[in-house]
Amino acid sequence: MVNTQRIPFLNTYIDNLTSAEAKACVDRFIQENGSHYVVTPNSDIVVKMQDDPELKQICDNANLILADGQMIVKLSKYLGTPIKERVCMTDFVWDVFDLAIEKNYGIFLFGGKEDVLQEATVNIKNRLPKLKIVDSYSPPFGFEKELEQLEMANERIRNSNADILIVFLGCPKQEKFIYQNKDKYDVPISITMGGCVDFIAGRVKRAPLWMQKTGLEWFFRFLQEPKRMFKRYFVDDMRIFGLAKKYKVRRNDK
């Protein structure tokens, strides 16, 4: 049994691990029997859980729940249960690749737009020529609702004999796909990586390091795509502060 140091956080849980500890946990899960999965909540996903009981259940029951958001780390301190550090998926994906090289694990890259995934795959191979990418596949839009396409995707993943499945489908599609299909495609561990594929492909720029450390990476992202990101950052994600206040009051009343 892997000890993930799980603690309550608002309406869910977080595994209180550093990136190095999370990487070691991924390795241990691969050694175990079964199909494990990792979810990576940030502010947006925590808020989505409020309106989506299925998503909440999937995240709560994950083998590994990693805090992919500086705001989550800051709010954990406010709530009196400090999280060690943010495990940023845009960086952690490379930790997972390094692990795969060290242990000769096979990687399957799944999801994202076809041209973006192709660019990302090329960039990964150029940067890490020793990494064993067993396959990469961008399924058609809506594939999860078409039985034939879904079965084809599961079969392709299963036949690849991958050790690690990296899923770039976005929340909540990626979480639900993994949860509903992990025992069908039978990979030791699946990890939600959302929009990481856009960064790996070079389609989206990372914020400067000082913005990442101060929790302003979201604002840099907003400046790149203001129309698409306005509602998410300035309407939807703002709800997390109301959640934090509610849970702070609950904690103080105990």
Short mmCIF file of all heavy atoms in Angstrom, two decimals, residues 15 17-30 37-41 64-69 85-100 102 107 127-128 131 164-166 168 189-193 196 199-200 206 212 217:
data_model
loop_
_atom_site.label_atom_id
_atom_site.label_comp_id
_atom_site.label_asym_id
_atom_site.label_seq_id
_atom_site.Cartn_x
_atom_site.Cartn_y
_atom_site.Cartn_z
N ASP A 15 -2.96 14.83 -2.08
CA ASP A 15 -1.84 14.06 -1.56
C ASP A 15 -0.67 15.03 -1.35
O ASP A 15 -0.17 15.62 -2.31
CB ASP A 15 -1.47 12.94 -2.53
CG ASP A 15 -2.56 11.88 -2.58
OD1 ASP A 15 -3.16 11.60 -1.52
OD2 ASP A 15 -2.84 11.35 -3.67
N LEU A 17 2.47 15.82 -1.27
CA LEU A 17 3.76 15.30 -1.73
C LEU A 17 4.53 16.37 -2.49
O LEU A 17 3.95 17.26 -3.11
CB LEU A 17 3.54 14.11 -2.67
CG LEU A 17 2.74 12.92 -2.14
CD1 LEU A 17 2.44 11.96 -3.28
CD2 LEU A 17 3.49 12.22 -1.02
N THR A 18 5.85 16.25 -2.47
CA THR A 18 6.68 17.04 -3.37
C THR A 18 6.67 16.37 -4.74
O THR A 18 6.22 15.22 -4.89
CB THR A 18 8.13 17.11 -2.86
OG1 THR A 18 8.68 15.77 -2.87
CG2 THR A 18 8.20 17.67 -1.44
N SER A 19 7.22 17.03 -5.72
CA SER A 19 7.29 16.44 -7.07
C SER A 19 8.12 15.15 -7.05
O SER A 19 7.76 14.17 -7.71
CB SER A 19 7.90 17.44 -8.05
OG SER A 19 7.06 18.57 -8.21
N ALA A 20 9.22 15.17 -6.29
CA ALA A 20 10.08 13.98 -6.21
C ALA A 20 9.34 12.82 -5.56
O ALA A 20 9.45 11.66 -6.01
CB ALA A 20 11.36 14.31 -5.44
N GLU A 21 8.58 13.11 -4.51
CA GLU A 21 7.81 12.07 -3.84
C GLU A 21 6.71 11.53 -4.75
O GLU A 21 6.43 10.33 -4.77
CB GLU A 21 7.20 12.62 -2.54
CG GLU A 21 8.24 12.89 -1.46
CD GLU A 21 7.68 13.68 -0.28
OE1 GLU A 21 6.66 14.38 -0.46
OE2 GLU A 21 8.27 13.61 0.80
N ALA A 22 6.08 12.43 -5.51
CA ALA A 22 5.02 12.01 -6.43
C ALA A 22 5.59 11.11 -7.52
O ALA A 22 4.98 10.11 -7.91
CB ALA A 22 4.35 13.23 -7.05
N LYS A 23 6.76 11.46 -8.02
CA LYS A 23 7.43 10.64 -9.03
C LYS A 23 7.70 9.23 -8.49
O LYS A 23 7.46 8.23 -9.18
CB LYS A 23 8.74 11.32 -9.45
CG LYS A 23 9.57 10.54 -10.46
CD LYS A 23 10.87 11.29 -10.75
CE LYS A 23 11.81 10.46 -11.61
NZ LYS A 23 13.09 11.17 -11.85
N ALA A 24 8.16 9.15 -7.24
CA ALA A 24 8.43 7.85 -6.61
C ALA A 24 7.14 7.05 -6.44
O ALA A 24 7.14 5.82 -6.62
CB ALA A 24 9.11 8.05 -5.26
N CYS A 25 6.03 7.73 -6.12
CA CYS A 25 4.74 7.05 -5.99
C CYS A 25 4.29 6.47 -7.32
O CYS A 25 3.76 5.35 -7.38
CB CYS A 25 3.68 8.02 -5.46
SG CYS A 25 3.74 8.27 -3.68
N VAL A 26 4.47 7.23 -8.39
CA VAL A 26 4.11 6.73 -9.72
C VAL A 26 4.86 5.43 -10.01
O VAL A 26 4.28 4.45 -10.48
CB VAL A 26 4.41 7.80 -10.81
CG1 VAL A 26 4.32 7.19 -12.21
CG2 VAL A 26 3.45 8.98 -10.68
N ASP A 27 6.14 5.42 -9.69
CA ASP A 27 6.95 4.23 -9.91
C ASP A 27 6.42 3.04 -9.11
O ASP A 27 6.30 1.92 -9.63
CB ASP A 27 8.40 4.53 -9.52
CG ASP A 27 9.35 3.41 -9.93
OD1 ASP A 27 9.05 2.68 -10.89
OD2 ASP A 27 10.40 3.26 -9.28
N ARG A 28 6.07 3.28 -7.84
CA ARG A 28 5.58 2.19 -7.00
C ARG A 28 4.23 1.66 -7.49
O ARG A 28 3.97 0.46 -7.44
CB ARG A 28 5.48 2.65 -5.53
CG ARG A 28 6.85 2.84 -4.89
CD ARG A 28 6.79 2.81 -3.38
NE ARG A 28 6.07 3.94 -2.83
CZ ARG A 28 6.62 5.12 -2.58
NH1 ARG A 28 7.91 5.32 -2.83
NH2 ARG A 28 5.90 6.11 -2.07
N PHE A 29 3.37 2.55 -7.98
CA PHE A 29 2.09 2.10 -8.52
C PHE A 29 2.28 1.22 -9.76
O PHE A 29 1.53 0.26 -9.96
CB PHE A 29 1.19 3.29 -8.86
CG PHE A 29 0.53 3.93 -7.67
CD1 PHE A 29 0.61 5.29 -7.44
CD2 PHE A 29 -0.19 3.15 -6.77
CE1 PHE A 29 -0.01 5.87 -6.34
CE2 PHE A 29 -0.81 3.72 -5.66
CZ PHE A 29 -0.72 5.08 -5.45
N ILE A 30 3.27 1.55 -10.57
CA ILE A 30 3.53 0.74 -11.77
C ILE A 30 3.95 -0.67 -11.37
O ILE A 30 3.64 -1.64 -12.06
CB ILE A 30 4.60 1.42 -12.66
CG1 ILE A 30 4.05 2.73 -13.24
CG2 ILE A 30 5.05 0.49 -13.79
CD1 ILE A 30 5.08 3.59 -13.95
N TYR A 37 -4.66 5.40 -11.32
CA TYR A 37 -4.79 6.67 -12.04
C TYR A 37 -4.49 7.86 -11.14
O TYR A 37 -4.66 7.81 -9.93
CB TYR A 37 -6.16 6.81 -12.71
CG TYR A 37 -7.36 6.98 -11.79
CD1 TYR A 37 -7.93 8.24 -11.60
CD2 TYR A 37 -7.94 5.90 -11.14
CE1 TYR A 37 -9.05 8.41 -10.79
CE2 TYR A 37 -9.06 6.05 -10.34
CZ TYR A 37 -9.61 7.31 -10.16
OH TYR A 37 -10.72 7.47 -9.36
N VAL A 38 -4.00 8.91 -11.79
CA VAL A 38 -3.58 10.14 -11.12
C VAL A 38 -4.43 11.29 -11.63
O VAL A 38 -4.58 11.46 -12.85
CB VAL A 38 -2.09 10.44 -11.41
CG1 VAL A 38 -1.63 11.68 -10.65
CG2 VAL A 38 -1.21 9.24 -11.08
N VAL A 39 -4.97 12.10 -10.72
CA VAL A 39 -5.68 13.32 -11.10
C VAL A 39 -4.89 14.52 -10.58
O VAL A 39 -4.12 14.41 -9.64
CB VAL A 39 -7.13 13.36 -10.58
CG1 VAL A 39 -7.96 12.26 -11.23
CG2 VAL A 39 -7.19 13.25 -9.07
N THR A 40 -5.11 15.68 -11.22
CA THR A 40 -4.23 16.83 -10.96
C THR A 40 -5.05 18.10 -10.79
O THR A 40 -5.03 18.99 -11.64
CB THR A 40 -3.25 16.97 -12.15
OG1 THR A 40 -4.01 17.07 -13.38
CG2 THR A 40 -2.33 15.77 -12.25
N PRO A 41 -5.80 18.20 -9.68
CA PRO A 41 -6.69 19.35 -9.52
C PRO A 41 -5.99 20.69 -9.37
O PRO A 41 -5.00 20.80 -8.64
CB PRO A 41 -7.50 19.00 -8.26
CG PRO A 41 -6.79 17.89 -7.60
CD PRO A 41 -5.92 17.23 -8.60
N LEU A 64 -3.71 8.80 -6.81
CA LEU A 64 -2.83 9.93 -6.53
C LEU A 64 -3.55 11.21 -6.93
O LEU A 64 -4.07 11.32 -8.04
CB LEU A 64 -1.52 9.77 -7.31
CG LEU A 64 -0.26 10.48 -6.81
CD1 LEU A 64 0.03 10.15 -5.36
CD2 LEU A 64 0.92 10.12 -7.69
N ILE A 65 -3.60 12.18 -5.99
CA ILE A 65 -4.26 13.47 -6.23
C ILE A 65 -3.21 14.55 -6.02
O ILE A 65 -2.80 14.82 -4.88
CB ILE A 65 -5.45 13.69 -5.27
CG1 ILE A 65 -6.39 12.48 -5.26
CG2 ILE A 65 -6.22 14.95 -5.65
CD1 ILE A 65 -7.46 12.56 -4.18
N LEU A 66 -2.76 15.19 -7.09
CA LEU A 66 -1.65 16.14 -7.01
C LEU A 66 -2.14 17.57 -7.22
O LEU A 66 -2.97 17.83 -8.09
CB LEU A 66 -0.60 15.79 -8.07
CG LEU A 66 0.00 14.37 -7.94
CD1 LEU A 66 0.96 14.11 -9.10
CD2 LEU A 66 0.71 14.21 -6.61
N ALA A 67 -1.60 18.47 -6.42
CA ALA A 67 -2.03 19.88 -6.44
C ALA A 67 -1.36 20.63 -7.58
O ALA A 67 -0.24 21.12 -7.45
CB ALA A 67 -1.69 20.54 -5.11
N ASP A 68 -2.07 20.74 -8.70
CA ASP A 68 -1.53 21.44 -9.86
C ASP A 68 -2.06 22.88 -9.89
O ASP A 68 -2.82 23.25 -10.77
CB ASP A 68 -1.91 20.71 -11.15
CG ASP A 68 -1.34 21.40 -12.39
OD1 ASP A 68 -0.36 22.14 -12.25
OD2 ASP A 68 -1.89 21.18 -13.48
N GLY A 69 -1.67 23.66 -8.90
CA GLY A 69 -2.13 25.05 -8.86
C GLY A 69 -1.53 25.76 -7.66
O GLY A 69 -1.65 25.28 -6.53
N GLU A 85 4.16 21.66 -1.65
CA GLU A 85 4.49 22.41 -2.86
C GLU A 85 3.51 22.10 -3.97
O GLU A 85 2.81 21.08 -3.93
CB GLU A 85 5.91 22.11 -3.33
CG GLU A 85 6.13 20.70 -3.85
CD GLU A 85 7.56 20.44 -4.33
OE1 GLU A 85 8.50 21.01 -3.75
OE2 GLU A 85 7.72 19.67 -5.30
N ARG A 86 3.47 22.97 -4.93
CA ARG A 86 2.69 22.72 -6.14
C ARG A 86 3.42 21.68 -6.99
O ARG A 86 4.63 21.79 -7.22
CB ARG A 86 2.54 24.01 -6.94
CG ARG A 86 1.85 23.83 -8.27
CD ARG A 86 2.00 25.06 -9.13
NE ARG A 86 1.28 24.91 -10.40
CZ ARG A 86 1.46 25.70 -11.45
NH1 ARG A 86 2.33 26.69 -11.39
NH2 ARG A 86 0.77 25.51 -12.56
N VAL A 87 2.68 20.67 -7.44
CA VAL A 87 3.24 19.71 -8.39
C VAL A 87 2.70 20.10 -9.77
O VAL A 87 1.64 19.65 -10.19
CB VAL A 87 2.87 18.26 -8.03
CG1 VAL A 87 3.54 17.28 -8.99
CG2 VAL A 87 3.28 17.95 -6.59
N CYS A 88 3.41 20.99 -10.42
CA CYS A 88 2.95 21.58 -11.68
C CYS A 88 3.06 20.56 -12.81
O CYS A 88 4.15 20.04 -13.10
CB CYS A 88 3.81 22.81 -12.00
SG CYS A 88 3.47 23.52 -13.61
N MET A 89 1.94 20.27 -13.46
CA MET A 89 1.92 19.24 -14.48
C MET A 89 2.83 19.55 -15.66
O MET A 89 3.41 18.64 -16.27
CB MET A 89 0.49 19.00 -14.97
CG MET A 89 -0.38 18.26 -13.99
SD MET A 89 0.33 16.70 -13.42
CE MET A 89 0.84 17.14 -11.75
N THR A 90 2.97 20.83 -15.99
CA THR A 90 3.80 21.20 -17.12
C THR A 90 5.26 20.86 -16.87
O THR A 90 6.04 20.66 -17.81
CB THR A 90 3.66 22.70 -17.43
OG1 THR A 90 2.26 23.05 -17.36
CG2 THR A 90 4.15 23.04 -18.82
N ASP A 91 5.64 20.78 -15.59
CA ASP A 91 6.99 20.33 -15.21
C ASP A 91 6.99 18.84 -14.88
O ASP A 91 7.91 18.11 -15.25
CB ASP A 91 7.48 21.12 -14.00
CG ASP A 91 7.60 22.61 -14.28
OD1 ASP A 91 8.07 22.96 -15.38
OD2 ASP A 91 7.22 23.41 -13.41
N PHE A 92 5.95 18.39 -14.18
CA PHE A 92 5.91 17.00 -13.71
C PHE A 92 5.87 16.00 -14.86
O PHE A 92 6.38 14.89 -14.73
CB PHE A 92 4.70 16.80 -12.79
CG PHE A 92 4.68 15.45 -12.10
CD1 PHE A 92 5.68 15.11 -11.21
CD2 PHE A 92 3.66 14.55 -12.34
CE1 PHE A 92 5.67 13.87 -10.58
CE2 PHE A 92 3.63 13.31 -11.71
CZ PHE A 92 4.65 12.97 -10.83
N VAL A 93 5.29 16.40 -15.98
CA VAL A 93 5.25 15.50 -17.13
C VAL A 93 6.67 15.09 -17.54
O VAL A 93 6.93 13.94 -17.90
CB VAL A 93 4.48 16.13 -18.32
CG1 VAL A 93 5.22 17.32 -18.92
CG2 VAL A 93 4.19 15.09 -19.40
N TRP A 94 7.63 16.03 -17.40
CA TRP A 94 9.03 15.71 -17.73
C TRP A 94 9.66 14.83 -16.66
O TRP A 94 10.53 14.00 -16.98
CB TRP A 94 9.83 17.00 -17.92
CG TRP A 94 9.31 17.80 -19.08
CD1 TRP A 94 8.51 18.90 -19.04
CD2 TRP A 94 9.52 17.52 -20.47
NE1 TRP A 94 8.21 19.33 -20.31
CE2 TRP A 94 8.82 18.52 -21.20
CE3 TRP A 94 10.23 16.55 -21.17
CZ2 TRP A 94 8.82 18.54 -22.60
CZ3 TRP A 94 10.23 16.57 -22.55
CH2 TRP A 94 9.53 17.56 -23.26
N ASP A 95 9.23 14.97 -15.40
CA ASP A 95 9.68 14.05 -14.35
C ASP A 95 9.23 12.62 -14.66
O ASP A 95 9.98 11.67 -14.46
CB ASP A 95 9.12 14.47 -12.98
CG ASP A 95 9.66 15.80 -12.49
OD1 ASP A 95 10.75 16.19 -12.95
OD2 ASP A 95 9.01 16.43 -11.63
N VAL A 96 7.99 12.50 -15.14
CA VAL A 96 7.46 11.18 -15.50
C VAL A 96 8.24 10.60 -16.68
O VAL A 96 8.57 9.40 -16.69
CB VAL A 96 5.95 11.27 -15.83
CG1 VAL A 96 5.43 9.94 -16.38
CG2 VAL A 96 5.16 11.67 -14.60
N PHE A 97 8.57 11.45 -17.64
CA PHE A 97 9.37 10.98 -18.77
C PHE A 97 10.75 10.52 -18.31
O PHE A 97 11.28 9.51 -18.79
CB PHE A 97 9.52 12.08 -19.83
CG PHE A 97 8.24 12.45 -20.54
CD1 PHE A 97 8.08 13.70 -21.12
CD2 PHE A 97 7.19 11.54 -20.64
CE1 PHE A 97 6.92 14.04 -21.78
CE2 PHE A 97 6.02 11.87 -21.30
CZ PHE A 97 5.88 13.13 -21.87
N ASP A 98 11.35 11.27 -17.38
CA ASP A 98 12.67 10.88 -16.85
C ASP A 98 12.58 9.52 -16.15
O ASP A 98 13.47 8.68 -16.30
CB ASP A 98 13.18 11.94 -15.86
CG ASP A 98 13.65 13.20 -16.55
OD1 ASP A 98 13.91 13.15 -17.77
OD2 ASP A 98 13.75 14.25 -15.88
N LEU A 99 11.50 9.32 -15.38
CA LEU A 99 11.28 8.03 -14.72
C LEU A 99 11.19 6.91 -15.75
O LEU A 99 11.77 5.83 -15.58
CB LEU A 99 10.00 8.08 -13.89
CG LEU A 99 9.50 6.74 -13.30
CD1 LEU A 99 10.47 6.22 -12.25
CD2 LEU A 99 8.10 6.91 -12.70
N ALA A 100 10.46 7.19 -16.83
CA ALA A 100 10.28 6.19 -17.89
C ALA A 100 11.62 5.81 -18.52
O ALA A 100 11.85 4.63 -18.84
CB ALA A 100 9.32 6.70 -18.94
N GLU A 102 14.59 6.05 -16.98
CA GLU A 102 15.34 5.34 -15.94
C GLU A 102 14.93 3.87 -15.86
O GLU A 102 15.76 2.98 -15.70
CB GLU A 102 15.10 6.00 -14.57
CG GLU A 102 15.71 7.38 -14.40
CD GLU A 102 15.11 8.10 -13.18
OE1 GLU A 102 14.56 7.42 -12.29
OE2 GLU A 102 15.21 9.34 -13.13
N ILE A 107 5.66 4.76 -22.83
CA ILE A 107 4.73 5.88 -22.69
C ILE A 107 3.75 5.91 -23.86
O ILE A 107 4.16 5.78 -25.02
CB ILE A 107 5.49 7.23 -22.66
CG1 ILE A 107 6.40 7.33 -21.44
CG2 ILE A 107 4.53 8.41 -22.73
CD1 ILE A 107 5.74 7.78 -20.17
N ARG A 127 13.94 16.11 -27.57
CA ARG A 127 14.52 16.44 -26.26
C ARG A 127 14.98 15.19 -25.52
O ARG A 127 16.01 15.22 -24.83
CB ARG A 127 13.48 17.20 -25.42
CG ARG A 127 13.95 17.58 -24.03
CD ARG A 127 12.99 18.56 -23.40
NE ARG A 127 13.20 18.68 -21.96
CZ ARG A 127 12.51 19.51 -21.16
NH1 ARG A 127 11.59 20.29 -21.68
NH2 ARG A 127 12.75 19.57 -19.87
N LEU A 128 14.23 14.08 -25.67
CA LEU A 128 14.52 12.85 -24.94
C LEU A 128 14.55 11.67 -25.91
O LEU A 128 13.63 10.85 -25.95
CB LEU A 128 13.47 12.61 -23.85
CG LEU A 128 13.31 13.67 -22.76
CD1 LEU A 128 12.10 13.36 -21.89
CD2 LEU A 128 14.57 13.79 -21.92
N LEU A 131 13.67 8.13 -24.66
CA LEU A 131 12.33 7.82 -24.13
C LEU A 131 11.60 6.86 -25.08
O LEU A 131 11.59 7.05 -26.29
CB LEU A 131 11.52 9.11 -23.99
CG LEU A 131 10.11 8.96 -23.41
CD1 LEU A 131 10.15 8.51 -21.96
CD2 LEU A 131 9.33 10.28 -23.52
N ILE A 164 2.69 3.60 -18.92
CA ILE A 164 2.15 4.89 -18.48
C ILE A 164 1.33 5.50 -19.61
O ILE A 164 1.81 5.63 -20.74
CB ILE A 164 3.29 5.87 -18.09
CG1 ILE A 164 4.19 5.27 -17.01
CG2 ILE A 164 2.72 7.21 -17.63
CD1 ILE A 164 5.48 6.06 -16.77
N LEU A 165 0.09 5.87 -19.30
CA LEU A 165 -0.76 6.57 -20.26
C LEU A 165 -0.89 8.02 -19.83
O LEU A 165 -1.35 8.32 -18.73
CB LEU A 165 -2.15 5.93 -20.30
CG LEU A 165 -3.17 6.57 -21.24
CD1 LEU A 165 -2.80 6.32 -22.70
CD2 LEU A 165 -4.59 6.06 -20.96
N ILE A 166 -0.44 8.94 -20.69
CA ILE A 166 -0.58 10.37 -20.45
C ILE A 166 -1.78 10.86 -21.24
O ILE A 166 -1.82 10.72 -22.46
CB ILE A 166 0.68 11.15 -20.89
CG1 ILE A 166 1.95 10.58 -20.25
CG2 ILE A 166 0.52 12.64 -20.58
CD1 ILE A 166 2.08 10.81 -18.78
N PHE A 168 -4.37 13.79 -22.50
CA PHE A 168 -4.51 15.23 -22.78
C PHE A 168 -5.92 15.55 -23.27
O PHE A 168 -6.08 16.06 -24.38
CB PHE A 168 -3.51 15.67 -23.85
CG PHE A 168 -2.06 15.39 -23.59
CD1 PHE A 168 -1.35 14.54 -24.43
CD2 PHE A 168 -1.39 15.98 -22.54
CE1 PHE A 168 0.00 14.29 -24.23
CE2 PHE A 168 -0.03 15.74 -22.32
CZ PHE A 168 0.66 14.90 -23.17
N ILE A 189 -0.62 2.66 -15.02
CA ILE A 189 -0.98 3.97 -14.46
C ILE A 189 -1.34 4.95 -15.57
O ILE A 189 -0.71 4.99 -16.63
CB ILE A 189 0.15 4.55 -13.57
CG1 ILE A 189 -0.37 5.70 -12.70
CG2 ILE A 189 1.36 4.98 -14.38
CD1 ILE A 189 0.50 6.02 -11.50
N SER A 190 -2.41 5.72 -15.31
CA SER A 190 -2.88 6.76 -16.24
C SER A 190 -2.81 8.10 -15.52
O SER A 190 -3.19 8.19 -14.35
CB SER A 190 -4.32 6.50 -16.67
OG SER A 190 -4.46 5.19 -17.20
N ILE A 191 -2.35 9.14 -16.23
CA ILE A 191 -2.16 10.45 -15.59
C ILE A 191 -2.85 11.52 -16.42
O ILE A 191 -2.63 11.63 -17.63
CB ILE A 191 -0.66 10.79 -15.46
CG1 ILE A 191 0.09 9.64 -14.76
CG2 ILE A 191 -0.48 12.09 -14.69
CD1 ILE A 191 1.59 9.83 -14.68
N THR A 192 -3.69 12.34 -15.76
CA THR A 192 -4.34 13.46 -16.45
C THR A 192 -3.35 14.61 -16.60
O THR A 192 -2.78 15.07 -15.63
CB THR A 192 -5.58 13.94 -15.67
OG1 THR A 192 -5.17 14.37 -14.36
CG2 THR A 192 -6.61 12.84 -15.50
N MET A 193 -3.17 15.05 -17.83
CA MET A 193 -2.21 16.13 -18.09
C MET A 193 -2.83 17.31 -18.85
O MET A 193 -2.14 18.26 -19.19
CB MET A 193 -1.01 15.59 -18.87
CG MET A 193 -0.08 14.71 -18.06
SD MET A 193 0.90 15.64 -16.86
CE MET A 193 1.96 14.36 -16.19
N CYS A 196 -1.25 20.38 -20.97
CA CYS A 196 0.21 20.28 -21.07
C CYS A 196 0.67 20.09 -22.51
O CYS A 196 1.75 20.55 -22.89
CB CYS A 196 0.74 19.10 -20.24
SG CYS A 196 0.80 19.40 -18.48
N PHE A 199 1.69 23.23 -24.26
CA PHE A 199 3.00 23.75 -23.84
C PHE A 199 4.12 22.93 -24.47
O PHE A 199 5.12 23.49 -24.95
CB PHE A 199 3.12 23.73 -22.32
CG PHE A 199 2.22 24.71 -21.62
CD1 PHE A 199 1.02 24.30 -21.06
CD2 PHE A 199 2.58 26.05 -21.51
CE1 PHE A 199 0.19 25.20 -20.41
CE2 PHE A 199 1.76 26.97 -20.87
CZ PHE A 199 0.56 26.54 -20.32
N ILE A 200 3.98 21.60 -24.44
CA ILE A 200 5.02 20.73 -25.00
C ILE A 200 5.18 20.98 -26.50
O ILE A 200 6.29 20.98 -27.03
CB ILE A 200 4.68 19.24 -24.74
CG1 ILE A 200 4.63 18.95 -23.24
CG2 ILE A 200 5.72 18.35 -25.40
CD1 ILE A 200 4.08 17.57 -22.90
N ARG A 206 5.07 29.38 -21.55
CA ARG A 206 5.04 29.36 -20.09
C ARG A 206 5.25 30.77 -19.56
O ARG A 206 5.95 31.59 -20.15
CB ARG A 206 6.16 28.47 -19.52
CG ARG A 206 5.99 27.00 -19.68
CD ARG A 206 4.88 26.41 -18.87
NE ARG A 206 4.94 26.62 -17.44
CZ ARG A 206 5.63 25.88 -16.59
NH1 ARG A 206 6.38 24.87 -17.03
NH2 ARG A 206 5.58 26.12 -15.29
N GLN A 212 5.21 32.22 -12.07
CA GLN A 212 4.86 30.87 -11.63
C GLN A 212 4.93 30.76 -10.11
O GLN A 212 4.04 30.19 -9.48
CB GLN A 212 5.81 29.84 -12.27
CG GLN A 212 5.72 29.74 -13.78
CD GLN A 212 6.74 28.77 -14.33
OE1 GLN A 212 7.01 27.73 -13.76
NE2 GLN A 212 7.33 29.10 -15.48
N GLU A 217 0.71 32.75 -12.80
CA GLU A 217 0.80 32.08 -14.09
C GLU A 217 -0.53 32.13 -14.82
O GLU A 217 -0.59 32.25 -16.05
CB GLU A 217 1.24 30.62 -13.89
CG GLU A 217 1.66 29.95 -15.18
CD GLU A 217 2.39 28.64 -14.95
OE1 GLU A 217 2.39 28.14 -13.80
OE2 GLU A 217 2.97 28.11 -15.90
#
